[in-house]
Amino acid sequence: MNSSFHFSCCSDYLLLDWTKMEFPELTVHWTDFNMWTAVVFIIFPPLFWNIVARWEHRTRALSQIFRWPKVACCILGVAIILLTLCRDWSFFLTLKTQPRWLLLQNNCALWSGHCLVIMGTLLVVSSFWKLGFYGTYLGDYFGILMPTKVTSFPFNLMKNPMYRGSTLNFLGTSLVHGSQTGLLLTLVVATVYAVAVRFEEPFTASIYMDAAKKKG
């Protein structure tokens, strides 16, 4: 009797017409002010700090205004922190005002998101710990150079661990909230960081090369 019932159940399952099944719709409110505010605050900070830091490296204007390079670097660092706080706040507002995706409303997505946030936070915090305040907030452009290249964790695992950790935080938070809009914004974050790295890495390398030539 059990085998007969099992066969009947499975045969009905196999005869389902999967082409006629409805899947949760991917919905984004494109007119949401919070979402576009988040996009602006995702794109603007890297653009801002690269322009200002290169201007400082070329002119030493901020160092002259604030008397000391370290003070000038701290001012820029505080500005960057405030901008990133605005970015994170607008991102969280977007998660609340945008619809959730039913496909992400499950424990797998939830716990995967928490794990990604833990990994991302570990990368960001450990990167900051190794680089210090000046190393994190573009002290190189102010003439505040690192004595040696950092090669320990997490820099021995990957390049730009702070950027990657930040991206993981956005991705994990989007999964925790089940937000498809959050996933789209995470893609914007990853793209902006990828573009920023293409400009920052060679320029930073040239700063240390020039410093080595002057010493030699």
Side-chain angles (χ1 to χ4, degrees), residues 20-98:
K20 294 182 179 180
M21 292 190 66
E22 294 184 2
F23 292 92
E25 184 180 357
L26 182 64
T27 305
V28 176
H29 291 168
W30 296 104
T31 57
D32 182 16
F33 175 78
N34 291 321
M35 183 186 73
W36 292 110
T37 303
V39 171
V40 170
F41 276 115
I42 288 171
I43 295 174
F44 178 71
L47 182 65
F48 166 78
W49 73 57
N50 272 286
I51 291 175
V52 173
R54 289 193 179 208
W55 173 63
E56 162 64 18
H57 179 71
R58 186 175 65 256
T59 65
R60 298 300 181 202
L62 292 177
S63 295
Q64 293 175 9
I65 293 173
F66 297 105
R67 302 290 183 89
W68 295 283
K70 288 188 175 181
V71 174
C73 183
C74 286
I75 298 296
L76 178 60
V78 170
I80 293 173
I81 291 172
L82 292 176
L83 285 172
T84 53
L85 287 176
C86 290
R87 177 200 64 187
D88 294 347
W89 178 247
S90 60
F91 179 77
F92 279 112
L93 287 179
T94 301
L95 297 183
K96 291 184 178 181
T97 56
Q98 286 283 332

Side-chain angles (χ1 to χ4, degrees), residues 125-199:
V125 172
S126 58
S127 297
F128 183 83
W129 181 262
K130 292 297 181 181
L131 293 174
F133 185 90
Y134 300 114
T136 300
Y137 294 107
L138 305 168
D140 323 86
Y141 294 70
F142 292 80
I144 310 169
L145 303 182
M146 300 287 291
T148 57
K149 185 177 180 179
V150 179
T151 56
S152 56
F153 180 85
F155 294 91
N156 59 339
L157 298 180
M158 63 187 73
K159 289 185 176 181
N160 309 299
M162 185 167 287
Y163 285 167
R164 296 191 181 192
S166 178
T167 304
L168 288 180
N169 283 337
F170 281 100
L171 177 58
T173 304
S174 300
L175 291 177
V176 169
H177 286 80
S179 174
Q180 67 273 22
T181 307
L183 295 178
L184 292 176
L185 291 177
T186 300
L187 181 60
V188 177
V189 170
T191 303
V192 168
Y193 281 155
V195 173
V197 165
R198 292 182 66 88
F199 285 93

